[in-house]
Amino acid sequence: MPAAAFFDLDKTIIAKSSTLAFSRPFQAGGLISRRAVLRSAYAQFMYLVGGADHDQMEKLRQFMSQLCAGWDVQTVRDIVAETLHDVVDPLVYEEAVELMEAHRADGLEVVIVSASGTEVVEPIGALLGADSVIATRLEVEDGRYTGEIATYMYAEEKAIAIRELAERRGWDLADCYAYSDSVTDIPMLEAVGHPHAVNPDKDLRRHAVEQEWPVLVFDKPVALRSRVPVPSRPTLAALAVGGAVAVGGVWWAGARRRTTGA
């Protein structure tokens, strides 16, 4: 392949964060409280309208690891396997799917790059036909989350991972494309020759205008199963850990915003 197109996941490919959709199934499974579900709903709204800056994302990382510590991996997988078919349909922007298809038609590889866990990103990537995924990795010991994050794929870490993958694949980054909604992904966007802001937060929009980057608006969520077959339940179960991490993160975001009055 001569080059690649790198896509962020939430609010770039997916119309909303999957965290809120997972919060109630995890509550039903006894992993989080009703209070956390309500905070997730508030944080989901704040995330959609405002995004998150670097300080919020660092606090989010810390809270994610604390909340998930000790969770049984199989329990999380079982919950997701029972509920994911309701969660993923619909999730993706039609414009994102069409853009990925166009890049593949031009001979480019499609790579999803996300701060979400590999357990959620890899199955979604496979479902969408992505060639590779770059995502956060959680530590697991004796079937439970240790509370540590082995690799947090965020900000500059995304750019580093992109450069390393490009070197292994022989891609010229000047010929590559990247798409994201968040100001925290500026390093990822600057790593390629063709950066694009998609549904950008205000800071990324300002930067994109200054740099004369294209600004795209995706606003047509499409039922995923109408574009590609939904995988079997065993495959869906593999999405579990990333969903668990996301729920914890959105709980923390809601709590922080309530405390600060933002």
Side-chain angles (χ1 to χ4, degrees), residues 66-262:
Q66 293 170 5
L67 185 71
C68 292
W71 281 13
D72 180 74
V73 176
Q74 190 58 51
T75 298
V76 176
R77 288 177 176 168
D78 290 344
I79 293 172
V80 173
E82 293 296 326
T83 61
L84 193 62
H85 65 283
D86 294 323
V87 174
V88 300
D89 187 33
L91 279 179
V92 300
Y93 284 118
E94 184 172 21
E95 297 95 334
V97 175
E98 292 174 349
L99 189 56
M100 288 187 283
E101 291 173 348
H103 280 307
R104 280 193 287 265
D106 289 337
L108 276 68
E109 289 198 30
V110 172
V111 182
I112 296 177
V113 187
S114 177
S116 296
T118 56
E119 293 82 0
V120 67
V121 181
E122 288 180 351
I124 290 178
L127 195 61
L128 293 170
D131 298 283
S132 304
V133 301
I134 297 171
T136 292
R137 294 186 178 276
L138 304 179
E139 288 188 357
V140 176
E141 185 175 318
D142 296 328
R144 294 183 180 272
Y145 305 120
T146 66
E148 299 296 326
I149 297 178
T151 305
Y152 189 39
M153 200 52 59
Y154 161 72
E156 184 60 34
E157 291 300 319
K158 286 188 177 182
I160 293 172
I162 285 173
R163 294 188 188 101
E164 292 176 348
L165 182 60
E167 183 176 358
R168 292 197 301 271
R169 299 289 180 85
W171 298 329
D172 185 345
L173 285 173
D175 296 330
C176 291
Y177 294 73
Y179 302 87
S180 180
D181 70 287
S182 176
V183 66
T184 61
D185 282 341
I186 286 179
M188 163 182 162
L189 296 172
E190 290 181 336
V192 303
H194 303 282
H196 294 72
V198 177
N199 298 339
D201 56 38
K202 63 180 181 180
D203 292 328
L204 178 57
R205 180 179 294 276
R206 182 183 308 114
H207 187 82
V209 171
E210 292 173 354
Q211 299 298 317
E212 299 183 344
W213 293 349
V215 176
L216 308 179
V217 177
F218 293 173
D219 60 4
K220 297 178 182 177
V222 61
L224 193 58
R225 67 186 63 194
S226 71
R227 300 299 300 259
V228 289
V230 174
S232 61
R233 180 164 294 178
T235 301
L236 293 178
L239 289 164
V241 179
V245 171
V247 169
V250 83
W251 185 97
W252 170 85
R256 183 176 187 275
R257 288 188 173 95
R258 286 180 183 273
T259 302
T260 60

